Amino acid sequence: MAKTKLNPFTVAQQQLDQCAKILRLDPGVQAILRVPSRELHVSIPVRMDDGSIKVFQGFRVQYNDAKGPCKGGIRFHADETIDTVRALAAWMTWKCSLLDLPLGGGKGGVICNPKEMSQGELERLSRAYIDQVARIIGPEKDVPAPDVYTNPQIMAWMMDEYSKISGQNQFGTITGKPLALGGSLGRGDATARGGLYTVREAAKELGIDLSQATIAVQGYGNAGYYAACLAQSLFGCKVVAVGDSKGCVLSETGLDPQAVAKHKTKTSTVCDFPGAKAISNEEILELDVDILFPAALESVITEENAPRIKAKIVAELANGPTTPEADVILHKNGVHVIPDFLCNAGGVTVSYFEMVQNFYMYYWETEEVHKRLDRKMTEAYHGVLNTSKRYNINMRQAAYVVAVERVVEAMKLRGWA
Ligand code: GLU
């Protein structure tokens, strides 16, 4: 674990600076890209169940909209900070660009502990957040979605609130909605599924037989859970370890991801899953597996533990799990990193499909979503791989090169730079 928690925005800026050097970016252009274009800080009063009023702090950061309306999730987290939201908004900008979506990057966050809030309190908080940010969101401006500890129900409340404010249904303003309210088929598991398509391509490149591969999944939320299920069902991988914030479990003979999820629903953690051995949150990252999926929060692979990472592929389903110092070590040790804004881009890609379907009022079959997602992810993966070979740089640097070049082109064409 990191001794001192790194500031994720410093990490995002360092990564961009590296890319600017590789691309020999004009310093003025680099200066524009180092900071968010706009941010809104809001105080959100919410009536709690005991009758008291609590004022939560929230943010919406619109990082760059050169390529289209900002896009990105909203996180509900006790440790949320403005710098985390800034970093995540920057990464959304690169993510949408890398996947060649006609979108910019944004992110929202509220400092709260959703685990300690009732459904009623969560609903009032979600609606009050939208009341505060309504003036800067909308299908042509900025389109929020789920992220850590927000889900389709929360998106439904948010969409409803925005619709009430605008006096008409506004399905295209929020994505990750339930199916009954203009959600897209295939959005639920899209982040993990997209990540697995990139893992499939990486395995081909590295000559790894996925049907014999072992995996460890750190984080058992939406992305981690579906990654475990799909790795097993699509490719026949063996899931040897999974973990959440409370601890991790290991079974050399393999875990049943669905049974673990049921256990987590009952007990609120994967810990004490029958028949599995308990391991720590540090140990799971260092297991001798073929593929490691960091699928929780930022800065978990650092210069301290990177030398002990044994996985052949690190597939970053989380945003920002690896620090720049750790990147250097992993690259030197031959670990193939599928960087976050490539690996986890399936979520926003299907969010974009959801927007398209909302605008057309015509909805696709699941197979159509999967086919289009596969095409997008595979193309993006090979674009990054080829760039990394051409410039002799690591996969993250290559992803930056592709993404930043496109944003810069859009800025130049608009006359911003
Ligand atoms: N929160 C997800 C991400 O980090 C999805 C964003 C979206 O769908 O707009 O990519």
Side-chain angles (χ1 to χ4, degrees), residues 71-73 92 95 107 143 145-147 175 187 319 344 347-348 351:
K71 184 85 193 78
M92 283 310 302
K95 193 181 304 188
K107 203 80 173 198
V143 181
D147 201 280
T175 61
R187 178 65 183 85
N319 287 310
N344 70 29
V348 72
S351 271

Side-chain angles (χ1 to χ4, degrees), residues 136 181 183 197 211 244 269 374:
I136 63 160
L181 285 176
Y197 292 150
S211 69
D244 59 34
T269 173
D374 194 345

Side-chain angles (χ1 to χ4, degrees), residues 132-192:
Q132 291 287 29
V133 302
R135 66 199 67 201
I136 63 160
I137 65 169
E140 302 294 343
K141 295 194 229 173
D142 183 1
V143 181
D147 201 280
V148 172
Y149 292 125
T150 52
N151 55 33
Q153 174 61 75
I154 290 177
M155 297 305 113
W157 291 324
M158 290 185 167
M159 185 279 291
D160 180 67
E161 190 68 14
Y162 188 75
S163 297
K164 283 179 177 160
I165 292 169
S166 13
Q168 63 193 61
N169 271 327
Q170 285 277 7
F171 283 5
T173 299
I174 307 266
T175 61
K177 303 180 294 296
L179 279 180
L181 285 176
S184 175
L185 287 166
R187 178 65 183 85
D189 68 11
T191 306

Side-chain angles (χ1 to χ4, degrees), residues 283-299:
E283 284 170 310
I284 193 169
L285 299 169
E286 298 169 19
L287 289 176
D288 191 2
V289 288
D290 294 299
I291 307 155
L292 169 67
F293 291 90
L297 296 173
E298 312 83 45
S299 302

Side-chain angles (χ1 to χ4, degrees), residues 36 38-44 55-63 72-89 106-112 125-126 128-130 132-134 136-137 142 144-145 147 150 158:
R38 190 178 302 109
E39 54 188 49
L40 185 61
H41 297 224
V42 294
S43 302
I44 314 164
V55 181
F56 294 89
Q57 230 195 320
F59 316 101
R60 184 73 192 172
V61 174
Q62 298 178 338
Y63 199 85
I74 299 170
R75 308 208 310 177
F76 283 180
H77 201 279
D79 299 331
E80 195 62 281
T81 67
I82 181 60
D83 273 344
T84 312
V85 183
R86 286 176 181 140
L88 290 161
K107 203 80 173 198
V110 177
I111 306 172
C112 66
L125 174 65
S126 304
Y129 175 78
I130 291 299
Q132 291 287 29
V133 302
I136 63 160
I137 65 169
D142 183 1
D147 201 280
T150 52
M158 290 185 167

